[in-house]
Amino acid sequence: MAETKEKHPSWFKMKAERRQLIKELPAETAQNVLLACLDYLNTGEIPDLPAMDKIAFSAFFPDLEEAWTKYEKRIQAGALGGRPIGGRPKG
């Protein structure tokens, strides 16, 4: 297993249509795929999976990439002092 990064997203938004995919998978495969998603969030690396698990994992990959992209944008915004000018009005 790859090394956990010190800074990484702590969550990802799972699209509702992925629920049906999880329900159709054998229980062990569903568990492996969901754990692989969490591993990817921790490491930024695609886990080594059996072929069927890898195929199912690929359906979640866009959601995971979105989580990493949003996380990196939040980190960059924080380094620049937070919300940009013209953001949400105060009050």
Side-chain angles (χ1 to χ4, degrees), residues 1-86:
M1 185 172 147
E3 187 174 320
T4 298
K5 293 186 176 197
E6 183 178 334
K7 303 273 187 184
H8 57 81
S10 58
W11 59 273
F12 75 102
K13 180 174 30 176
M14 184 187 305
K15 305 290 191 270
E17 59 265 20
R18 310 284 189 261
R19 179 179 180 192
Q20 188 60 38
L21 170 65
I22 290 295
K23 287 171 69 174
E24 292 181 20
L25 293 172
E28 184 178 350
T29 301
Q31 178 182 356
N32 291 343
V33 168
L34 292 173
L35 290 174
C37 289
L38 296 174
D39 286 345
Y40 181 78
L41 287 183
N42 288 331
T43 65
E45 296 180 23
I46 297 173
D48 187 31
L49 297 167
M52 285 302 295
D53 296 7
K54 191 176 287 189
I55 291 167
F57 174 83
S58 69
F60 291 87
F61 195 71
D63 302 341
L64 298 166
E65 284 292 288
E66 180 183 0
W68 265 103
T69 299
K70 287 183 176 184
Y71 175 77
E72 289 168 349
K73 285 181 181 178
R74 286 193 309 271
I75 295 297
Q76 290 172 355
L80 298 174
R83 185 180 310 280
I85 296 174

